Amino acid sequence: MHRLIARFDRLRTEAADAGMSTAEYAVGTLAAVAFAGLLLKVVTSEQVQTALTAIIDRALR
């Protein structure tokens, strides 16, 4: 009987950990998408595009 209880406790713990992994992946994915959106906003700004164009123009001279 003690072995059965120990196995049940272990299975319950493993199931809880599996759910946490999925939640952690979801939060990590959300953070990565938010960072990509912020980076896209910065790179497509007029100031950054002007600076990149100036760098490319100087490199091609």
Side-chain angles (χ1 to χ4, degrees):
M1 186 67 163
H2 292 280
R3 284 185 179 171
L4 181 61
I5 293 172
R7 286 182 185 165
F8 178 73
D9 284 340
R10 186 185 56 162
L11 288 174
R12 187 177 51 157
T13 302
E14 289 174 2
D17 289 343
M20 289 300 290
S21 295
T22 302
E24 290 167 358
Y25 283 124
V27 170
T29 301
L30 188 62
V33 169
F35 182 72
L38 179 65
L39 187 61
L40 180 66
K41 186 75 172 171
V42 169
V43 170
T44 57
S45 71
E46 188 174 336
Q47 293 171 336
V48 172
Q49 285 184 350
T50 302
L52 288 174
T53 303
I55 291 171
I56 292 170
D57 285 342
R58 275 188 245 141
L60 294 177
R61 287 185 199 177

